[in-house]
């Protein structure tokens, strides 16, 4: 009836190659081991991601304001 | 029944994930990313993680995507006129080699791992009550540290938005 853990892991691997998908593996393991701890880590990962996005997008806006571009190829002032 | 739902949602997640990567316009990527978030949220429901599914939709598909779209529209990017610079042959070769290596390690690791079969979840697992109980007992310290992290992020974002760098 329930979905096997290996299916969750397989989908997690596929999504990993597209982006980040560790949350899915956490939830899959939490389901398989019948422990809520995995879901706790997903909760914390989401919180950290929210903080990351806020600071990261603020950085992008500042870069755009100063350099008038957000293309990584144009941002080469750290090169020598 | 549950397995068919899982396969449908998994297919939707994979297809929308591929579309996110291959869109030329960032706005379209962001919209496909919302589809991806909803598909993954459905899979969380199947895995008896209803609270995480709700948080996924509220925080990711709601708050974070609004921030994404807001910044993309604020920057008002021009369409890239020239073709994006084609990667050099060496870059492609190294990329393919590293991806193959990573895929081999992951597939081999999972095939060797002895994972228990999923049993029927007990009533109450994944619901908000059991998560809250754990959050305010065993994980109280990480929870408080998280609040400090969010405060630091808020202060940092405000400072960055205010700063006039020369």
């Amino acid at each position: 009836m329930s979905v096997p853990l290996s299916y969750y892991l397989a989908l997690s691997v596929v999504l990993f190659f597209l982006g980040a998908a560790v949350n899915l593996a956490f939830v899959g393991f939490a389901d398989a081991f019948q422990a809520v701890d995995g879901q706790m880590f997903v909760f914390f990962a989401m919180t950290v991601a929210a903080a990351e996005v806020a600071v990261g997008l603020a950085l992008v806006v500042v870069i755009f304001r100063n350099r008038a571009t957000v293309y990584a190829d144009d941002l080469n002032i750290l090169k020598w | 029944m549950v397995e068919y739902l899982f396969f449908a949602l998994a297919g939707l997640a994979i297809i929308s994930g591929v579309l996110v990567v291959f869109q030329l316009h960032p706005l379209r990527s962001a919209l496909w990313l919302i589809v991806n978030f909803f598909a993954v949220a459905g899979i969380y429901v199947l895995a008896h993680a209803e609270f995480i599914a709700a948080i996924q939709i509220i925080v990711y598909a709601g708050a974070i995507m609004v921030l994404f779209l807001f910044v993309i529209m604020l920057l008002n990017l021009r369409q890239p006129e020239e073709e994006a610079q084609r990667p050099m042959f060496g870059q492609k070769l190294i990329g393919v080699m590293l991806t193959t290596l990573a895929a081999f390690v992951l597939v081999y690791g999972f095939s060797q791992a002895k994972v228990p079969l999923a049993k029927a979840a007990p009533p109450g697992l994944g619901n908000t009550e059991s998560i809250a109980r754990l959050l305010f007992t065993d994980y109280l310290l990480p929870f408080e540290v998280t609040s400090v992290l969010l405060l630091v992020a808020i202060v940092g974002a405000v400072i960055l938005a205010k700063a006039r760098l020369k």
Side-chain angles (χ1 to χ4, degrees):
Chain A
M1 192 59 202
S2 193
V3 182
L5 174 60
S6 51
Y7 289 9
Y8 290 116
L9 291 181
L11 180 62
S12 186
V13 168
V14 173
L15 288 180
F16 173 74
F17 284 107
L18 293 169
V22 75
N23 285 357
L24 189 62
F26 268 131
V27 170
F29 273 110
D31 188 33
F33 290 104
Q34 308 197 1
V36 195
D37 299 64
Q39 297 182 22
M40 300 302 311
F41 282 99
V42 175
F43 178 77
F44 289 126
M46 282 181 176
T47 320
V48 173
E52 243 166 57
V53 165
V55 175
L57 289 181
L59 279 173
V60 169
V61 170
V62 171
I63 288 171
F64 184 76
R65 200 191 280 156
N66 287 289
R67 304 293 310 262
T69 180
V70 289
Y71 290 102
D73 287 345
D74 299 337
L75 301 172
N76 52 10
I77 51 173
L78 278 182
K79 265 188 186 171
W80 58 281
Chain B
M1 182 57 201
V2 177
E3 295 202 349
Y4 290 123
L5 262 177
F6 177 83
F7 282 126
L9 287 169
L12 184 64
I14 291 172
I15 291 170
S16 59
V18 170
L19 285 171
V20 170
V21 177
F22 285 105
Q23 291 295 324
L24 275 182
H25 199 284
L27 205 55
R28 289 192 185 156
S29 289
L31 292 176
W32 278 113
L33 195 55
I34 297 177
V35 177
N36 193 325
F37 284 153
F38 270 92
V40 175
I43 290 171
Y44 288 162
V45 173
L46 291 187
H48 309 282
E50 292 87 1
F51 178 72
I52 297 296
I55 291 290
Q56 162 99 354
I57 289 176
I58 294 170
V59 174
Y60 271 128
I64 291 183
M65 287 317 295
V66 166
L67 205 55
F68 265 37
L69 292 174
F70 184 77
V71 168
I72 290 172
M73 291 181 181
L74 181 74
L75 297 185
N76 193 18
L77 297 178
R78 64 181 193 278
Q79 292 278 12
E81 312 92 7
E82 75 275 32
E83 280 283 302
Q85 196 182 357
R86 300 225 169 258
M88 287 178 288
F89 181 71
Q91 288 175 324
K92 273 187 190 170
L93 193 68
I94 292 172
V96 168
M97 272 168 50
L98 286 179
T99 309
T100 313
L101 186 67
F104 177 76
V105 168
L106 283 175
V107 170
Y108 181 75
F110 281 144
S111 66
Q112 293 299 105
K114 289 184 174 53
V115 287
L117 289 176
K119 291 164 283 187
L125 175 68
N127 68 17
T128 314
E129 188 187 348
S130 54
I131 287 186
R133 205 170 287 279
L134 207 56
L135 191 58
F136 290 105
T137 53
D138 291 357
Y139 289 94
L140 185 60
L141 185 63
F143 180 65
E144 295 295 338
V145 173
T146 304
S147 69
V148 176
L149 175 74
L150 282 176
L151 180 66
V152 171
I154 293 170
V155 173
V158 170
I159 294 292
L160 279 174
K162 270 176 66 81
R164 288 259 167 244
L165 301 177
K166 286 286 155 64

